[in-house]
Amino acid sequence: MLSKEKSALFIQKKWRAFIRKRKADPENVRELASVLGRRFESADDAFTCLHENKVIVVANGSREKPFDGHSSFYVNNIRKHLVLLSPKVIKARNKPPYRAKYPVKYHREPGYIGTYAVIEAKDTAHLQVSDAGIKQALQYLSSKGNLFVLDDIYTNVFDSAFRQECKYFSVRPFSYGFHYNCHTFVLNVLLRIIELKRKESVLAKYVSG
C-alpha cells in the first residue's frame, strides 16, 4: 500500500498528465481534421461546402489558451456544437439538447455559473447573418488555418459518431471545464469517426472473405 506522500505524488502526476492532454485537444483536433479531410484555403470554397452535405470542422483554441475560441461542426449548413445555456433556456426548447449532468460551478466569467454545458444538434442561428457576414467569418477562420472539411468517405458515419458522443456526454458526470469543453467534444467525435470507419473496414473484409 502506498504511503500518503507517495499517493499524493501519484495523484499529482496523473492530474498533470490529464491537464497536458486536455491542453493539447485543440491541436489534436486540427491534426485529425487535416488527416480526415483538408484545410480550407479560401472563404468561397468553405461557403460552397457549407450549403452542401459536407462536414465542416471549426477548430479553434491553442495549448496556451485552451478555452479561447470555439470549436464546432457544420453539417449541411446546420451547426452542431457544445455551448453553455441557462436552465430557463433549456426548458423552453421544444426538443431539449443533450445536457451535462451538473451545472457550471467555476468560470472566469461569473455570469456562466449555474448554466449547463449542452450539445446542440440543430443550431441555425447563423442563418440570420448575411452571406457577406458569413463569408467574412469563414475568411477569418481559414486565414488562421482553423477551418476544415472532412472527406466524403467519412460523411456516412458522422451522424453515428455524433449520436454516440452525445449519449456518452449526457450520462457521464460532466460539468464544463478541462474535463469536457467544445474542443473535447469535436475531438471525441473525430476519434469516433475513425473507430467507426475501422469497424466498417473490418466488417467489409469479413463479409468479402
Side-chain angles (χ1 to χ4, degrees):
M1 184 176 180
L2 294 176
S3 65
K4 290 184 178 180
E5 291 78 12
K6 287 185 177 180
S7 295
L9 288 172
F10 177 78
I11 292 171
Q12 185 182 53
K13 182 179 179 181
K14 289 292 184 181
W15 174 250
R16 287 177 174 173
F18 166 74
I19 293 297
R20 286 196 298 270
K21 183 179 180 181
R22 286 283 78 87
K23 283 187 173 183
D25 280 356
E27 293 175 11
N28 288 334
V29 169
R30 286 188 284 274
E31 183 177 352
L32 273 181
S34 64
V35 171
L36 300 179
R38 62 180 174 86
R39 183 181 272 111
F40 281 116
E41 299 297 336
S42 71
D44 288 335
D45 186 13
F47 188 75
T48 298
C49 289
L50 185 67
H51 293 277
E52 298 174 349
N53 190 26
K54 305 286 187 180
V55 178
I56 294 176
V57 183
V58 179
N60 282 308
S62 67
R63 188 182 296 272
E64 294 74 25
K65 296 180 178 180
F67 289 107
D68 280 7
H70 185 58
S71 294
S72 62
F73 293 103
Y74 285 93
V75 186
N76 199 22
N77 209 15
I78 299 298
R79 195 178 198 187
K80 298 174 181 288
H81 59 153
L82 182 137
V83 294
L84 296 176
L85 296 177
S86 69
K88 183 178 180 180
V89 171
I90 295 172
K91 187 177 180 180
R93 297 294 175 91
N94 291 327
K95 186 177 180 181
Y98 296 93
R99 191 188 77 177
K101 279 188 171 292
Y102 300 102
V104 177
K105 291 186 178 180
Y106 305 100
H107 200 283
R108 60 185 177 183
E109 296 181 34
Y112 282 112
I113 296 175
T115 61
Y116 283 82
V118 302
I119 296 175
E120 288 200 298
K122 196 173 183 180
D123 180 6
T124 58
H126 62 285
L127 298 180
Q128 307 305 314
V129 181
S130 67
D131 286 355
I134 293 175
K135 283 188 176 181
Q136 185 177 15
L138 294 176
Q139 182 59 50
Y140 173 73
L141 289 168
S142 60
S143 68
K144 290 176 64 179
N146 294 353
L147 194 63
F148 304 81
V149 60
L150 300 189
D151 293 338
D152 290 343
I153 61 171
Y154 300 110
T155 302
N156 69 314
V157 298
F158 175 83
D159 286 342
S160 295
F162 175 78
R163 286 194 299 271
Q164 286 180 9
E165 183 58 23
C166 287
K167 291 177 181 178
Y168 166 80
F169 165 76
S170 61
V171 300
R172 297 288 292 174
F174 290 134
S175 173
Y176 174 83
F178 270 120
H179 280 90
Y180 206 98
N181 54 63
C182 62
H183 311 306
T184 314
F185 160 65
V186 173
L187 177 62
N188 287 357
V189 173
L190 293 179
L191 289 171
R192 290 183 185 280
I193 287 174
I194 292 173
E195 179 61 17
L196 286 170
K197 292 303 291 185
R198 185 191 68 81
K199 290 180 179 179
E200 191 179 83
S201 177
V202 171
L203 180 62
K205 288 181 181 178
Y206 176 79
V207 172
S208 62

